[in-house]
Coordinates of all heavy atoms in Angstrom, one line a residue:
M25 N -40.3 -33.9 83.4 CA -39.9 -32.7 82.6 C -40.1 -32.9 81.1 O -40.2 -31.9 80.4 CB -38.4 -32.4 83.0 CG -37.9 -31.1 82.5 SD -38.5 -29.8 83.7 CE -37.1 -28.7 83.6
T26 N -40.2 -34.1 80.7 CA -40.4 -34.4 79.2 C -41.7 -33.8 78.8 O -41.8 -33.2 77.7 CB -40.3 -35.9 79.0 OG1 -39.1 -36.4 79.3 CG2 -40.6 -36.2 77.5
D27 N -42.8 -34.0 79.6 CA -44.1 -33.4 79.2 C -44.0 -31.9 79.1 O -44.6 -31.3 78.2 CB -45.1 -33.8 80.2 CG -45.5 -35.2 80.2 OD1 -45.2 -35.9 79.2 OD2 -46.0 -35.7 81.2
T28 N -43.2 -31.3 80.0 CA -43.0 -29.8 80.0 C -42.4 -29.4 78.6 O -42.8 -28.5 78.0 CB -42.1 -29.4 81.1 OG1 -42.8 -29.7 82.4 CG2 -41.9 -27.9 81.1
W29 N -41.3 -30.1 78.3 CA -40.6 -29.7 77.0 C -41.5 -30.0 75.8 O -41.4 -29.3 74.8 CB -39.2 -30.3 76.9 CG -38.3 -29.5 77.8 CD1 -37.8 -29.9 79.0 CD2 -37.8 -28.2 77.5 NE1 -37.0 -28.9 79.5 CE2 -37.0 -27.8 78.6 CE3 -37.9 -27.3 76.5 CZ2 -36.3 -26.6 78.7 CZ3 -37.3 -26.1 76.5 CH2 -36.5 -25.8 77.6
D30 N -42.3 -31.1 75.9 CA -43.2 -31.4 74.8 C -44.2 -30.2 74.6 O -44.5 -29.8 73.5 CB -44.0 -32.7 75.0 CG -43.1 -33.9 74.9 OD1 -42.1 -33.8 74.3 OD2 -43.6 -35.0 75.4
T31 N -44.7 -29.7 75.7 CA -45.6 -28.6 75.7 C -44.9 -27.3 75.1 O -45.5 -26.6 74.3 CB -46.2 -28.3 77.1 OG1 -46.9 -29.4 77.6 CG2 -47.1 -27.1 77.1
I32 N -43.7 -27.1 75.6 CA -42.9 -26.0 75.0 C -42.7 -26.1 73.5 O -42.8 -25.1 72.8 CB -41.5 -25.8 75.8 CG1 -41.8 -25.5 77.3 CG2 -40.6 -24.8 75.1 CD1 -42.5 -24.2 77.5
D33 N -42.4 -27.3 73.1 CA -42.3 -27.6 71.6 C -43.5 -27.2 70.9 O -43.5 -26.6 69.8 CB -41.9 -29.0 71.3 CG -40.5 -29.4 71.6 OD1 -39.6 -28.4 71.8 OD2 -40.1 -30.6 71.7
R34 N -44.7 -27.6 71.4 CA -46.0 -27.3 70.8 C -46.2 -25.8 70.8 O -46.7 -25.3 69.8 CB -47.1 -28.1 71.5 CG -47.0 -29.6 71.2 CD -48.3 -30.3 71.6 NE -49.1 -29.6 72.6 CZ -49.4 -30.1 73.8 NH1 -48.9 -31.2 74.2 NH2 -50.1 -29.4 74.6
L35 N -45.9 -25.1 71.9 CA -46.1 -23.7 72.0 C -45.2 -23.0 71.0 O -45.6 -22.0 70.3 CB -45.8 -23.2 73.4 CG -46.9 -23.5 74.5 CD1 -46.4 -23.1 75.8 CD2 -48.2 -22.7 74.2
S36 N -44.0 -23.4 70.9 CA -43.0 -22.8 69.9 C -43.5 -23.0 68.5 O -43.4 -22.1 67.7 CB -41.6 -23.5 70.1 OG -41.1 -23.2 71.3
S37 N -44.0 -24.2 68.2 CA -44.5 -24.4 66.9 C -45.8 -23.6 66.6 O -45.9 -23.0 65.5 CB -44.9 -25.9 66.7 OG -43.8 -26.7 66.8
W38 N -46.6 -23.4 67.6 CA -47.8 -22.6 67.4 C -47.4 -21.1 67.1 O -48.0 -20.5 66.2 CB -48.7 -22.7 68.6 CG -49.9 -21.8 68.7 CD1 -51.0 -21.9 67.9 CD2 -50.0 -20.6 69.4 NE1 -51.9 -20.9 68.2 CE2 -51.3 -20.1 69.1 CE3 -49.2 -19.9 70.3 CZ2 -51.7 -18.9 69.7 CZ3 -49.6 -18.8 70.9 CH2 -50.9 -18.3 70.6
I39 N -46.5 -20.6 67.9 CA -46.0 -19.2 67.7 C -45.4 -19.1 66.3 O -45.6 -18.1 65.6 CB -45.0 -18.8 68.8 CG1 -45.7 -18.7 70.2 CG2 -44.3 -17.5 68.5 CD1 -44.8 -18.6 71.4
A40 N -44.5 -20.0 66.0 CA -43.8 -20.0 64.7 C -44.8 -20.0 63.5 O -44.6 -19.3 62.5 CB -42.9 -21.1 64.5
A41 N -45.9 -20.7 63.7 CA -46.9 -20.8 62.6 C -47.6 -19.4 62.4 O -48.2 -19.2 61.4 CB -48.0 -21.9 62.9
H42 N -47.6 -18.6 63.4 CA -48.2 -17.3 63.3 C -47.3 -16.1 63.0 O -47.6 -15.0 63.1 CB -49.0 -17.0 64.6 CG -50.2 -17.9 64.8 ND1 -50.1 -19.1 65.3 CD2 -51.5 -17.7 64.4 CE1 -51.3 -19.7 65.3 NE2 -52.1 -18.8 64.8
H43 N -46.0 -16.4 62.7 CA -45.0 -15.4 62.4 C -44.5 -15.6 61.0 O -44.4 -16.7 60.5 CB -43.8 -15.5 63.4 CG -44.1 -15.0 64.7 ND1 -43.7 -13.8 65.1 CD2 -44.9 -15.5 65.7 CE1 -44.1 -13.5 66.4 NE2 -44.8 -14.6 66.7
T44 N -44.3 -14.4 60.4 CA -43.8 -14.4 59.0 C -42.4 -13.9 58.9 O -41.9 -13.7 57.8 CB -44.7 -13.6 58.1 OG1 -44.8 -12.3 58.6 CG2 -46.1 -14.2 58.1
L45 N -41.7 -13.6 60.0 CA -40.4 -13.0 60.0 C -39.4 -14.1 59.8 O -39.6 -15.3 60.1 CB -40.2 -12.3 61.3 CG -41.1 -11.1 61.6 CD1 -40.8 -10.6 63.0 CD2 -40.8 -10.0 60.6
P46 N -38.2 -13.7 59.3 CA -37.1 -14.7 59.2 C -36.7 -15.2 60.6 O -37.0 -14.5 61.6 CB -35.9 -13.8 58.7 CG -36.6 -12.6 58.0 CD -37.8 -12.4 58.8
H47 N -36.1 -16.4 60.7 CA -35.8 -17.0 61.9 C -35.0 -16.1 62.9 O -35.4 -16.1 64.1 CB -35.0 -18.3 61.7 CG -34.7 -19.1 62.9 ND1 -35.6 -19.7 63.7 CD2 -33.5 -19.2 63.5 CE1 -35.0 -20.2 64.8 NE2 -33.7 -20.0 64.7
Q48 N -34.0 -15.5 62.4 CA -33.2 -14.6 63.3 C -34.0 -13.5 64.0 O -33.8 -13.3 65.2 CB -32.0 -14.0 62.6 CG -30.9 -15.0 62.3 CD -30.3 -15.5 63.6 OE1 -30.7 -16.6 64.1 NE2 -29.3 -14.9 64.1
Q49 N -34.9 -12.9 63.2 CA -35.8 -11.9 63.8 C -36.7 -12.5 64.8 O -37.1 -11.9 65.8 CB -36.5 -11.1 62.7 CG -35.6 -10.2 62.0 CD -36.4 -9.5 60.9 OE1 -37.5 -9.8 60.5 NE2 -35.8 -8.4 60.4
D50 N -37.2 -13.7 64.5 CA -38.1 -14.4 65.4 C -37.4 -14.7 66.7 O -38.0 -14.5 67.8 CB -38.6 -15.7 64.8 CG -39.8 -16.3 65.5 OD1 -40.6 -15.5 66.0 OD2 -39.9 -17.5 65.6
V51 N -36.2 -15.1 66.7 CA -35.4 -15.4 67.9 C -35.3 -14.1 68.7 O -35.5 -14.1 69.9 CB -34.0 -15.9 67.5 CG1 -33.1 -16.0 68.8 CG2 -34.1 -17.3 66.9
L52 N -34.9 -13.0 68.0 CA -34.8 -11.7 68.7 C -36.1 -11.3 69.4 O -36.1 -10.9 70.6 CB -34.4 -10.6 67.8 CG -32.9 -10.7 67.3 CD1 -32.7 -9.7 66.2 CD2 -31.9 -10.6 68.4
L53 N -37.2 -11.5 68.7 CA -38.5 -11.2 69.3 C -38.8 -12.1 70.5 O -39.4 -11.6 71.5 CB -39.6 -11.3 68.3 CG -39.6 -10.1 67.3 CD1 -40.6 -10.4 66.2 CD2 -39.8 -8.8 67.9
R54 N -38.5 -13.3 70.4 CA -38.7 -14.2 71.6 C -37.9 -13.8 72.8 O -38.4 -13.8 73.9 CB -38.4 -15.7 71.2 CG -39.2 -16.3 70.1 CD -40.7 -16.7 70.5 NE -41.5 -15.7 71.0 CZ -42.2 -14.8 70.2 NH1 -42.1 -15.0 68.9 NH2 -43.0 -13.9 70.7
V55 N -36.7 -13.4 72.6 CA -35.8 -12.9 73.7 C -36.4 -11.6 74.2 O -36.4 -11.4 75.4 CB -34.4 -12.8 73.2 CG1 -33.5 -12.2 74.3 CG2 -33.8 -14.2 72.9
L56 N -36.8 -10.7 73.3 CA -37.3 -9.4 73.8 C -38.6 -9.6 74.6 O -38.9 -8.8 75.5 CB -37.6 -8.5 72.6 CG -36.3 -7.9 71.9 CD1 -36.7 -7.1 70.7 CD2 -35.6 -7.0 72.9
K57 N -39.4 -10.6 74.2 CA -40.6 -10.9 74.9 C -40.4 -11.1 76.4 O -41.2 -10.8 77.3 CB -41.3 -12.1 74.3 CG -42.6 -12.5 74.9 CD -43.7 -11.6 74.6 CE -45.0 -12.2 75.1 NZ -46.0 -11.1 75.2
L58 N -39.2 -11.6 76.7 CA -38.8 -11.8 78.1 C -38.8 -10.5 78.9 O -39.3 -10.5 80.0 CB -37.4 -12.4 78.3 CG -37.3 -13.9 78.2 CD1 -35.9 -14.3 78.0 CD2 -37.9 -14.6 79.4
S59 N -38.3 -9.4 78.3 CA -38.4 -8.1 79.0 C -39.8 -7.7 79.3 O -40.1 -7.1 80.4 CB -37.7 -7.1 78.1 OG -36.3 -7.3 78.0
E60 N -40.7 -7.9 78.3 CA -42.1 -7.6 78.6 C -42.6 -8.3 79.7 O -43.3 -7.8 80.6 CB -42.9 -7.9 77.3 CG -44.4 -7.6 77.4 CD -45.2 -8.0 76.2 OE1 -44.6 -8.5 75.3 OE2 -46.4 -7.9 76.3
E61 N -42.4 -9.6 79.8 CA -42.9 -10.5 80.9 C -42.3 -10.1 82.2 O -43.0 -10.1 83.2 CB -42.6 -12.0 80.5 CG -43.4 -12.5 79.3 CD -44.9 -12.4 79.5 OE1 -45.4 -12.3 80.6 OE2 -45.6 -12.4 78.4
V62 N -41.0 -9.8 82.2 CA -40.3 -9.4 83.5 C -41.0 -8.1 84.0 O -41.2 -7.9 85.2 CB -38.8 -9.3 83.3 CG1 -38.2 -8.6 84.5 CG2 -38.2 -10.6 83.1
G63 N -41.3 -7.2 83.1 CA -42.0 -5.9 83.4 C -43.3 -6.2 84.1 O -43.7 -5.5 85.0
E64 N -44.0 -7.2 83.6 CA -45.3 -7.6 84.2 C -45.1 -8.2 85.6 O -46.0 -7.9 86.5 CB -46.0 -8.6 83.3 CG -46.5 -7.9 82.0 CD -47.2 -8.8 81.0 OE1 -47.5 -10.0 81.4 OE2 -47.4 -8.4 79.8
V65 N -44.0 -8.9 85.8 CA -43.7 -9.3 87.2 C -43.5 -8.1 88.1 O -44.1 -8.0 89.2 CB -42.5 -10.2 87.3 CG1 -42.0 -10.5 88.7 CG2 -42.7 -11.5 86.5
A66 N -42.7 -7.1 87.6 CA -42.5 -5.9 88.4 C -43.8 -5.2 88.7 O -44.0 -4.7 89.8 CB -41.5 -5.0 87.7
E67 N -44.6 -5.1 87.7 CA -45.9 -4.4 87.9 C -46.8 -5.1 88.9 O -47.4 -4.5 89.8 CB -46.7 -4.3 86.6 CG -48.0 -3.7 86.7 CD -48.8 -3.7 85.3 OE1 -48.4 -4.3 84.4 OE2 -49.8 -3.0 85.3
A68 N -46.8 -6.5 88.9 CA -47.5 -7.2 89.9 C -47.0 -7.1 91.3 O -47.8 -7.0 92.2 CB -47.6 -8.7 89.4
V69 N -45.7 -7.1 91.4 CA -45.1 -6.9 92.8 C -45.4 -5.5 93.3 O -45.8 -5.4 94.5 CB -43.5 -7.1 92.7 CG1 -42.9 -6.6 94.0 CG2 -43.2 -8.5 92.4
I70 N -45.3 -4.5 92.5 CA -45.7 -3.1 92.9 C -47.1 -3.1 93.3 O -47.5 -2.5 94.3 CB -45.4 -2.1 91.8 CG1 -43.8 -2.0 91.7 CG2 -46.0 -0.8 92.1 CD1 -43.4 -1.3 90.4
G71 N -48.0 -3.8 92.5 CA -49.4 -3.8 92.8 C -49.7 -4.6 94.1 O -50.6 -4.3 94.8
A72 N -49.0 -5.7 94.3 CA -49.2 -6.6 95.4 C -48.8 -5.9 96.7 O -49.4 -6.1 97.8 CB -48.5 -7.9 95.3
T73 N -47.8 -5.0 96.6 CA -47.3 -4.3 97.8 C -48.0 -2.9 97.9 O -47.7 -2.2 98.9 CB -45.8 -4.1 97.8 OG1 -45.5 -3.4 96.6 CG2 -45.1 -5.4 97.8
G74 N -48.9 -2.5 97.0 CA -49.6 -1.3 97.0 C -48.7 -0.1 96.9 O -49.1 1.0 97.4
Q75 N -47.6 -0.2 96.2 CA -46.7 0.9 96.1 C -46.9 2.0 95.0 O -46.2 3.0 95.0 CB -45.2 0.4 95.9 CG -44.8 -0.4 97.1 CD -44.9 0.4 98.4 OE1 -44.3 1.4 98.6 NE2 -45.7 -0.1 99.4
N76 N -48.0 1.8 94.2 CA -48.4 2.8 93.3 C -49.5 3.6 93.9 O -50.6 3.0 94.0 CB -48.8 2.1 91.9 CG -49.1 3.2 90.9 OD1 -49.5 4.3 91.2 ND2 -49.0 2.8 89.6
P77 N -49.3 4.8 94.3 CA -50.4 5.6 95.0 C -51.6 5.7 94.1 O -52.7 5.8 94.7 CB -49.7 6.9 95.3 CG -48.3 6.8 95.0 CD -48.1 5.6 94.2
R78 N -51.5 5.8 92.8 CA -52.6 5.9 92.0 C -53.5 4.7 91.9 O -54.7 4.7 91.8 CB -52.1 6.3 90.6 CG -53.2 6.7 89.6 CD -52.7 7.2 88.3 NE -51.7 6.4 87.6 CZ -51.9 5.3 86.9 NH1 -53.2 4.9 86.7 NH2 -50.9 4.6 86.4
K79 N -52.8 3.5 91.9 CA -53.5 2.2 91.8 C -53.8 1.5 93.1 O -54.7 0.7 93.2 CB -52.8 1.3 90.8 CG -52.7 1.8 89.4 CD -52.0 0.8 88.6 CE -51.9 1.2 87.1 NZ -51.2 0.2 86.3
G80 N -53.0 1.7 94.1 CA -53.1 1.0 95.4 C -52.8 -0.4 95.2 O -51.9 -0.8 94.4
A81 N -53.4 -1.3 96.0 CA -53.2 -2.7 95.9 C -54.0 -3.3 94.7 O -55.1 -3.7 94.8 CB -53.6 -3.4 97.2
S82 N -53.3 -3.3 93.6 CA -54.0 -3.7 92.3 C -53.7 -5.2 91.9 O -54.3 -5.7 91.0 CB -53.5 -2.8 91.2 OG -52.1 -2.9 91.1
H83 N -52.8 -5.8 92.6 CA -52.5 -7.2 92.3 C -52.4 -8.0 93.6 O -52.3 -7.4 94.7 CB -51.1 -7.3 91.6 CG -51.2 -6.7 90.2 ND1 -51.2 -5.4 89.9 CD2 -51.2 -7.3 89.0 CE1 -51.2 -5.2 88.6 NE2 -51.2 -6.4 88.0
T84 N -52.3 -9.3 93.4 CA -52.1 -10.2 94.6 C -50.8 -11.0 94.4 O -50.2 -10.9 93.3 CB -53.2 -11.3 94.7 OG1 -53.1 -12.2 93.5 CG2 -54.6 -10.6 94.7
W85 N -50.3 -11.7 95.5 CA -49.1 -12.4 95.3 C -49.3 -13.6 94.4 O -48.4 -14.1 93.8 CB -48.6 -12.9 96.7 CG -48.0 -11.7 97.4 CD1 -48.5 -11.0 98.4 CD2 -46.8 -11.0 97.0 NE1 -47.7 -9.9 98.7 CE2 -46.6 -9.9 97.9 CE3 -45.8 -11.3 96.1 CZ2 -45.5 -9.1 97.8 CZ3 -44.7 -10.4 96.0 CH2 -44.6 -9.3 96.9
Q86 N -50.6 -14.0 94.2 CA -50.9 -15.1 93.2 C -50.7 -14.5 91.8 O -50.2 -15.3 90.9 CB -52.3 -15.6 93.4 CG -52.5 -16.5 94.6 CD -52.5 -15.7 95.9 OE1 -52.9 -14.5 96.0 NE2 -52.1 -16.3 97.0
D87 N -51.0 -13.2 91.6 CA -50.7 -12.6 90.3 C -49.2 -12.6 90.1 O -48.7 -12.9 88.9 CB -51.2 -11.2 90.3 CG -52.7 -11.1 90.3 OD1 -53.4 -11.9 89.8 OD2 -53.2 -10.0 90.9
V88 N -48.4 -12.4 91.1 CA -46.9 -12.4 91.0 C -46.5 -13.8 90.6 O -45.7 -14.0 89.7 CB -46.2 -11.9 92.2 CG1 -44.7 -12.1 92.1 CG2 -46.6 -10.5 92.6
E89 N -47.0 -14.8 91.2 CA -46.7 -16.2 90.9 C -47.0 -16.5 89.4 O -46.2 -17.1 88.7 CB -47.5 -17.2 91.8 CG -47.1 -17.2 93.2 CD -48.1 -18.0 94.1 OE1 -49.1 -18.6 93.5 OE2 -47.8 -18.1 95.3
S90 N -48.2 -16.1 89.0 CA -48.6 -16.3 87.6 C -47.6 -15.6 86.6 O -47.2 -16.2 85.6 CB -50.0 -15.8 87.4 OG -50.4 -16.0 86.1
E91 N -47.3 -14.4 86.9 CA -46.4 -13.6 86.1 C -45.0 -14.3 86.0 O -44.3 -14.3 85.0 CB -46.3 -12.2 86.5 CG -47.6 -11.4 86.3 CD -48.1 -11.3 84.9 OE1 -47.4 -11.6 83.9 OE2 -49.3 -11.0 84.7
L92 N -44.5 -14.8 87.2 CA -43.2 -15.5 87.2 C -43.3 -16.7 86.3 O -42.3 -17.0 85.6 CB -42.8 -15.9 88.6 CG -42.3 -14.7 89.5 CD1 -42.2 -15.1 90.9 CD2 -41.0 -14.2 89.0
C93 N -44.4 -17.5 86.4 CA -44.6 -18.6 85.5 C -44.5 -18.2 84.0 O -43.9 -18.9 83.2 CB -45.9 -19.3 85.8 SG -45.9 -20.2 87.4
D94 N -45.1 -17.1 83.7 CA -45.1 -16.6 82.3 C -43.6 -16.3 81.9 O -43.2 -16.5 80.8 CB -45.9 -15.3 82.2 CG -47.4 -15.6 82.1 OD1 -47.8 -16.7 82.0 OD2 -48.2 -14.6 82.2
V95 N -42.8 -15.7 82.8 CA -41.4 -15.5 82.5 C -40.7 -16.8 82.2 O -39.9 -16.9 81.2 CB -40.7 -14.8 83.7 CG1 -39.2 -14.7 83.5 CG2 -41.2 -13.3 83.8
I96 N -40.9 -17.8 83.0 CA -40.3 -19.1 82.8 C -40.7 -19.7 81.5 O -39.8 -20.2 80.7 CB -40.6 -20.1 84.0 CG1 -40.0 -19.5 85.3 CG2 -40.1 -21.5 83.7 CD1 -40.5 -20.2 86.6
I97 N -42.0 -19.7 81.2 CA -42.5 -20.3 79.9 C -41.9 -19.5 78.8 O -41.4 -20.1 77.8 CB -44.0 -20.2 79.9 CG1 -44.6 -21.2 80.9 CG2 -44.5 -20.6 78.5 CD1 -46.1 -21.0 81.2
T98 N -41.9 -18.2 78.9 CA -41.3 -17.4 77.8 C -39.9 -17.6 77.5 O -39.4 -17.7 76.4 CB -41.6 -15.9 78.1 OG1 -43.0 -15.7 78.2 CG2 -41.1 -15.0 77.0
A99 N -39.1 -17.8 78.6 CA -37.7 -18.1 78.5 C -37.5 -19.5 77.8 O -36.6 -19.7 77.0 CB -37.0 -18.1 79.9
M100 N -38.3 -20.5 78.2 CA -38.2 -21.8 77.6 C -38.6 -21.8 76.2 O -37.9 -22.4 75.3 CB -39.1 -22.8 78.4 CG -38.6 -23.0 79.8 SD -39.8 -24.1 80.8 CE -39.3 -25.7 80.2
V101 N -39.6 -21.0 75.8 CA -39.9 -20.9 74.4 C -38.8 -20.2 73.6 O -38.5 -20.6 72.5 CB -41.3 -20.1 74.2 CG1 -41.5 -19.7 72.8 CG2 -42.4 -21.0 74.7
A102 N -38.2 -19.1 74.2 CA -37.1 -18.5 73.5 C -36.0 -19.4 73.3 O -35.4 -19.4 72.2 CB -36.7 -17.2 74.4
L103 N -35.6 -20.2 74.3 CA -34.5 -21.2 74.2 C -34.9 -22.2 73.1 O -34.0 -22.5 72.3 CB -34.3 -21.9 75.5 CG -33.1 -22.9 75.6 CD1 -31.8 -22.2 75.2 CD2 -33.0 -23.5 77.0
R104 N -36.1 -22.7 73.1 CA -36.5 -23.6 72.1 C -36.5 -23.0 70.7 O -36.2 -23.7 69.7 CB -37.9 -24.2 72.4 CG -38.5 -25.1 71.4 CD -37.6 -26.3 71.1 NE -38.0 -27.1 70.1 CZ -37.7 -27.0 68.8 NH1 -37.0 -25.9 68.4 NH2 -38.2 -27.8 67.9
T105 N -36.8 -21.7 70.6 CA -36.8 -21.0 69.3 C -35.3 -20.9 68.8 O -35.0 -21.0 67.6 CB -37.4 -19.6 69.4 OG1 -38.7 -19.7 69.9 CG2 -37.4 -18.9 68.1
L106 N -34.4 -20.8 69.7 CA -33.0 -20.7 69.4 C -32.4 -22.0 69.0 O -31.5 -22.1 68.1 CB -32.2 -20.1 70.6 CG -30.8 -19.7 70.4 CD1 -30.6 -18.7 69.3 CD2 -30.2 -19.2 71.7
T107 N -32.8 -23.1 69.7 CA -32.2 -24.4 69.4 C -33.2 -25.5 69.6 O -34.0 -25.5 70.6 CB -31.0 -24.7 70.4 OG1 -30.5 -26.0 70.1 CG2 -31.4 -24.6 71.8
P108 N -33.2 -26.5 68.7 CA -34.1 -27.7 68.8 C -33.7 -28.6 70.0 O -34.5 -29.4 70.5 CB -34.0 -28.4 67.5 CG -32.9 -27.8 66.8 CD -32.5 -26.5 67.4
E109 N -32.5 -28.4 70.5 CA -32.0 -29.2 71.7 C -32.2 -28.4 73.0 O -31.4 -28.6 73.9 CB -30.5 -29.6 71.5 CG -30.3 -30.6 70.4 CD -30.2 -30.0 69.0 OE1 -29.8 -28.9 68.9 OE2 -30.7 -30.7 68.1
A110 N -33.3 -27.6 73.1 CA -33.5 -26.8 74.3 C -33.5 -27.6 75.6 O -32.9 -27.1 76.5 CB -34.8 -26.0 74.1
A111 N -34.1 -28.7 75.6 CA -34.2 -29.5 76.8 C -32.8 -29.9 77.3 O -32.5 -29.9 78.5 CB -35.1 -30.7 76.6
E112 N -32.0 -30.4 76.3 CA -30.7 -30.8 76.7 C -29.8 -29.7 77.1 O -29.0 -29.8 78.0 CB -30.0 -31.6 75.5 CG -30.7 -32.9 75.1 CD -32.0 -32.7 74.2 OE1 -32.3 -31.6 73.8 OE2 -32.7 -33.7 74.0
V113 N -29.9 -28.6 76.4 CA -29.1 -27.4 76.7 C -29.5 -26.9 78.1 O -28.6 -26.6 79.0 CB -29.4 -26.2 75.7 CG1 -28.8 -24.9 76.2 CG2 -28.8 -26.6 74.4
F114 N -30.8 -26.9 78.4 CA -31.2 -26.4 79.8 C -30.7 -27.4 80.9 O -30.2 -27.0 81.9 CB -32.7 -26.3 79.8 CG -33.2 -25.9 81.2 CD1 -33.1 -24.6 81.6 CD2 -33.8 -26.8 82.0 CE1 -33.5 -24.2 82.9 CE2 -34.2 -26.4 83.3 CZ -34.1 -25.1 83.7
A115 N -30.9 -28.7 80.6 CA -30.5 -29.7 81.6 C -29.0 -29.6 81.9 O -28.6 -29.7 83.0 CB -30.9 -31.1 81.1
G116 N -28.2 -29.5 80.8 CA -26.8 -29.3 81.0 C -26.4 -28.1 81.8 O -25.5 -28.1 82.7
H117 N -27.1 -27.0 81.5 CA -26.8 -25.7 82.2 C -27.2 -25.8 83.6 O -26.5 -25.4 84.5 CB -27.5 -24.6 81.5 CG -27.0 -23.2 82.0 ND1 -25.8 -22.7 81.7 CD2 -27.6 -22.4 82.9 CE1 -25.7 -21.5 82.3 NE2 -26.8 -21.3 83.1
L118 N -28.3 -26.4 83.9 CA -28.8 -26.6 85.3 C -27.8 -27.4 86.1 O -27.5 -27.1 87.2 CB -30.2 -27.2 85.3 CG -30.9 -27.4 86.6 CD1 -31.0 -26.1 87.4 CD2 -32.2 -28.1 86.5
R119 N -27.3 -28.5 85.5 CA -26.3 -29.3 86.1 C -25.1 -28.5 86.5 O -24.6 -28.6 87.6 CB -25.9 -30.5 85.3 CG -26.6 -31.8 85.6 CD -26.0 -33.0 84.8 NE -25.7 -32.8 83.4 CZ -26.6 -32.8 82.4 NH1 -27.8 -33.1 82.7 NH2 -26.2 -32.6 81.2
R120 N -24.6 -27.7 85.5 CA -23.4 -26.9 85.8 C -23.6 -25.9 86.9 O -22.8 -25.7 87.8 CB -22.9 -26.2 84.5 CG -22.3 -27.1 83.5 CD -21.7 -26.4 82.3 NE -22.6 -25.7 81.5 CZ -23.4 -26.2 80.6 NH1 -23.4 -27.5 80.3 NH2 -24.2 -25.4 79.9
V121 N -24.8 -25.2 86.9 CA -25.1 -24.3 88.0 C -25.2 -25.0 89.3 O -24.7 -24.5 90.3 CB -26.4 -23.5 87.6 CG1 -26.9 -22.7 88.8 CG2 -26.2 -22.6 86.4
A122 N -25.9 -26.1 89.3 CA -26.0 -26.9 90.6 C -24.6 -27.3 91.1 O -24.3 -27.2 92.3 CB -26.9 -28.1 90.4
D123 N -23.8 -27.8 90.2 CA -22.5 -28.3 90.6 C -21.7 -27.1 91.2 O -21.0 -27.3 92.2 CB -21.7 -28.9 89.4 CG -22.3 -30.2 89.0 OD1 -23.1 -30.8 89.8 OD2 -21.9 -30.7 87.9
R124 N -21.7 -26.0 90.5 CA -21.0 -24.8 90.9 C -21.5 -24.3 92.3 O -20.8 -23.9 93.1 CB -21.1 -23.7 89.8 CG -20.3 -22.5 90.1 CD -20.4 -21.5 89.0 NE -21.8 -21.0 88.9 CZ -22.5 -21.0 87.7 NH1 -21.9 -21.3 86.6 NH2 -23.7 -20.5 87.7
S125 N -22.8 -24.3 92.4 CA -23.5 -23.6 93.6 C -23.6 -24.6 94.7 O -23.4 -24.2 95.9 CB -24.9 -23.1 93.2 OG -24.8 -22.2 92.2
L126 N -23.8 -25.9 94.5 CA -24.1 -26.8 95.5 C -22.8 -27.7 95.8 O -22.9 -28.5 96.7 CB -25.3 -27.7 95.2 CG -26.6 -26.9 94.9 CD1 -27.6 -27.9 94.4 CD2 -27.0 -26.2 96.1
G127 N -21.8 -27.6 95.0 CA -20.6 -28.3 95.2 C -20.7 -29.8 95.0 O -20.0 -30.5 95.6
H128 N -21.5 -30.2 94.1 CA -21.6 -31.6 93.8 C -20.5 -32.1 92.9 O -20.1 -31.6 92.0 CB -23.0 -32.0 93.2 CG -24.1 -31.9 94.2 ND1 -25.0 -30.9 94.2 CD2 -24.3 -32.6 95.3 CE1 -25.8 -31.0 95.2 NE2 -25.4 -32.0 95.9

């Protein structure tokens, strides 16, 4: 998981280098970006199931997988934009969710 968070750190730095907004606005935009990505998941699911009569089967389930990965990456980048301790925050939260859900 360390390599994953190293990559997220690099992506966050790359995004930050291309933004001129104050940090608080950058955080808001990173969080709002999640809504955009979730919308793309919904579009892919609708396309994979052929539920848009105008477009038909416009996506595959592999497209859905890819869009879900984009949501995960975007959420990780948003968390990293919010805190430099993103990896620790995530690991701690995952532990709490697992303990609560799995009863460990």
Side-chain angles (χ1 to χ4, degrees):
M25 194 78 145
T26 300
D27 291 340
T28 299
W29 283 106
D30 289 341
T31 301
I32 294 301
D33 284 344
R34 290 194 337 244
L35 286 169
S36 296
S37 295
W38 174 76
I39 291 168
H42 290 86
H43 284 258
T44 57
L45 297 173
H47 179 71
Q48 283 299 89
Q49 287 180 341
D50 193 38
V51 169
L52 290 174
L53 288 174
R54 296 284 62 83
V55 172
L56 287 175
K57 180 74 173 159
L58 275 168
S59 293
E60 178 186 357
E61 295 297 340
V62 169
E64 291 176 11
V65 171
E67 180 181 11
V69 169
I70 290 166
T73 57
Q75 294 305 301
N76 183 334
R78 185 173 53 81
K79 293 182 180 179
S82 58
H83 292 75
T84 66
W85 287 105
Q86 288 75 28
D87 294 326
V88 175
E89 291 171 0
S90 178
E91 296 299 344
L92 285 169
C93 288
D94 286 348
V95 169
I96 294 165
I97 293 165
T98 301
M100 292 175 83
V101 168
L103 182 59
R104 177 57 186 87
T105 302
L106 188 61
T107 177
E109 288 83 31
E112 294 82 6
V113 169
F114 179 77
H117 188 77
L118 181 60
R119 261 191 316 279
R120 287 188 298 279
V121 169
D123 288 347
R124 181 179 67 229
S125 300
L126 303 174
H128 290 108

